[in-house]
Amino acid sequence: MSPTRPKGLRNGWTTGTCAAAAAKAAAIGLVTGRVPDEVDVALPDGRRVSFAVELPPGGRREGASAVVVKDAGDDPDCTDGARVTAEVAATDPAGGGVTGGGAGGGVEDSLLVAGEGVGTVTMPGLGLVVGQPAINPVPRRMILESLAEVTPDRLLVTLSVPGGDRMALKTTNARLGIVGGISILGTTGIVRPFSTAAFRASVAQQVDVACAVGERHLVLATGSRSEAAAMRMLAHLPPVCFVEVGDYTGVALGRAAAGGARKVTMVAMAGKIAKLAAGVTMTHFHRSKVDNGVLASAAAAAGAGPAVSAAATETATARHFFEACVAAGDTAPLHELCVLAASVCRDRLGGEVDFEMWMVDFEGRDVVARS
């Protein structure tokens, strides 16, 4: 299920915003001889925000390294409290390294280096250069613009996040080929709690990476239990092939088709499959309800008995229908649901991709039906 955002929750700041603030503070330390106690940076929309500046262990205010502690607001972000650290040094304008874009030896050609706890890109598909730090384009631009507010000179900036390697274990970084730590992320500079936009973007990114590394069989799962079941039953496939799509089946199918996938296996439970069978590819429970007509059609097509047929028309949940089928020892209606859902998904894929739908039980133990 995609996350929903309860009202009244407090926003936070992305790792990208914190990295920009830490880099600016460290640059000020390099240029003036003193790291400030507070620094402000511009968000992508032009607003400016201020951050308290701390020092890394053993650091001095007279040095050129600074820490900004990430506050993710009320979002359950694994990087909340991370000590985003920047160390800045002057560099030879003619030297090589990781560039932020631009040329000419100025700040736009500054070197951004991954230190402890910041990941390195090892797979294509992320829109980043393989072998370079996992710093997304918007944070990279924010960092460079913040440095430019301090000096026009080309700088060497080492970004680190102590403990970032452990934080990354709670993310999909390893599947995406990001090794050694977290990514420096953010498109708006702001963390909005339980952001559906962020989840949607993550789904698209995971599919893109799988296709970019040449995988042609993708496995989409709608939740953690169905994903665990899929990974167990299709253990011969590499982890990058598996994508938890939540409610964003339509997004994932579109990206898979565009990326050149040749086969898609979708593993889900009865509720999501029933909604897909009704033609709903954005399946959030607030946005769509179970279509009893679809359940009744599946029951009729399978020649189901009275108990299952009654459950199809009387129930408010697909789970009740699922349980009625299992209790009757008749999974044929569930097979019909899979067939209907698979037809909808094939249409979304454009008919060029082999597609199969697997329905697992609510514990994610067994495949009960498939198309």
Side-chain angles (χ1 to χ4, degrees):
M1 180 188 303
S2 293
T4 54
R5 183 185 175 191
K7 295 180 179 179
L9 292 182
R10 185 172 59 89
N11 289 337
W13 309 108
T14 64
T15 48
T17 300
C18 297
K24 181 178 179 179
I28 292 172
L30 178 69
V31 171
T32 69
R34 189 179 190 282
V35 175
D37 299 313
E38 185 177 277
V39 71
D40 71 306
V41 294
L43 298 176
D45 66 5
R47 286 181 293 163
R48 300 193 71 87
V49 290
S50 296
F51 295 89
V53 178
E54 299 184 12
L55 299 175
R60 300 176 296 110
R61 285 287 168 188
E62 296 76 21
S65 56
V67 174
V68 170
V69 179
K70 177 174 175 176
D71 176 3
D74 290 325
D75 194 65
D77 190 324
C78 67
T79 61
D80 184 45
R83 294 178 63 80
V84 182
T85 305
E87 183 176 357
V88 174
T91 188
D92 178 3
V98 182
T99 66
V107 70
E108 289 187 357
D109 205 34
S110 291
L111 308 182
L112 305 183
V113 178
E116 174 194 357
V118 172
T120 298
V121 178
T122 66
M123 290 183 184
L126 293 169
L128 302 174
V129 178
V130 172
Q132 306 299 358
I135 305 172
N136 279 16
V138 172
R140 183 181 294 275
R141 186 170 68 247
M142 290 177 67
I143 293 167
L144 297 174
E145 290 175 352
S146 297
L147 293 174
E149 293 179 356
V150 180
T151 177
D153 295 337
R154 188 172 188 261
L155 302 174
L156 172 67
V157 183
T158 302
L159 295 171
S160 58
V161 178
D165 54 343
R166 295 190 300 276
M167 297 173 194
L169 297 177
K170 301 178 182 179
T171 73
T172 58
N173 274 14
R175 287 194 213 178
L176 298 177
I178 298 172
V179 300
I182 64 168
S183 305
I184 304 299
L185 300 173
T187 54
T188 64
I190 300 170
V191 173
R192 291 180 171 84
F194 303 94
S195 169
T196 55
F199 191 90
R200 184 185 190 280
S202 174
V203 168
Q205 185 180 63
Q206 290 180 69
V207 173
D208 288 351
V209 168
C211 291
V213 299
E215 297 297 340
R216 294 296 175 254
H217 182 184
L218 302 187
V219 183
L220 310 181
T222 53
S224 57
R225 283 175 293 172
S226 54
E227 184 184 54
M231 296 185 83
R232 186 176 67 253
M233 291 180 284
L234 295 167
H236 63 284
L237 294 175
V240 72
C241 295
F242 297 85
V243 182
E244 184 181 338
V245 301
D247 297 310
Y248 294 102
T249 300
V251 171
L253 293 174
R255 302 297 278 226
R262 291 291 172 262
K263 181 176 182 179
V264 173
T265 301
M266 184 157 194
V267 182
M269 295 177 185
K272 299 295 188 187
I273 292 176
K275 291 178 183 180
L276 288 169
V280 179
T281 57
M282 168 49 187
T283 56
H284 191 280
F285 74 96
H286 285 318
R287 299 188 182 210
S288 62
K289 296 181 179 179
V290 170
D291 186 331
N292 292 94
V294 168
L295 300 183
S297 294
V308 171
S309 297
T313 56
E314 296 170 359
T315 185
T317 67
R319 180 165 188 157
H320 180 200
F321 180 70
F322 173 89
E323 290 173 345
C325 290
V326 172
D330 183 8
T331 59
L334 303 178
H335 166 77
E336 293 295 334
L337 272 184
C338 289
V339 170
L340 290 169
S343 177
V344 170
C345 293
R346 287 192 191 99
D347 287 345
R348 192 62 178 255
L349 287 164
E352 300 297 321
V353 183
D354 181 19
F355 181 88
E356 58 184 359
M357 175 69 71
W358 294 6
M359 182 187 293
V360 292
D361 61 28
F362 283 88
E363 287 71 43
R365 288 194 304 254
D366 300 307
V367 176
V368 179
R370 64 180 73 194
S371 62

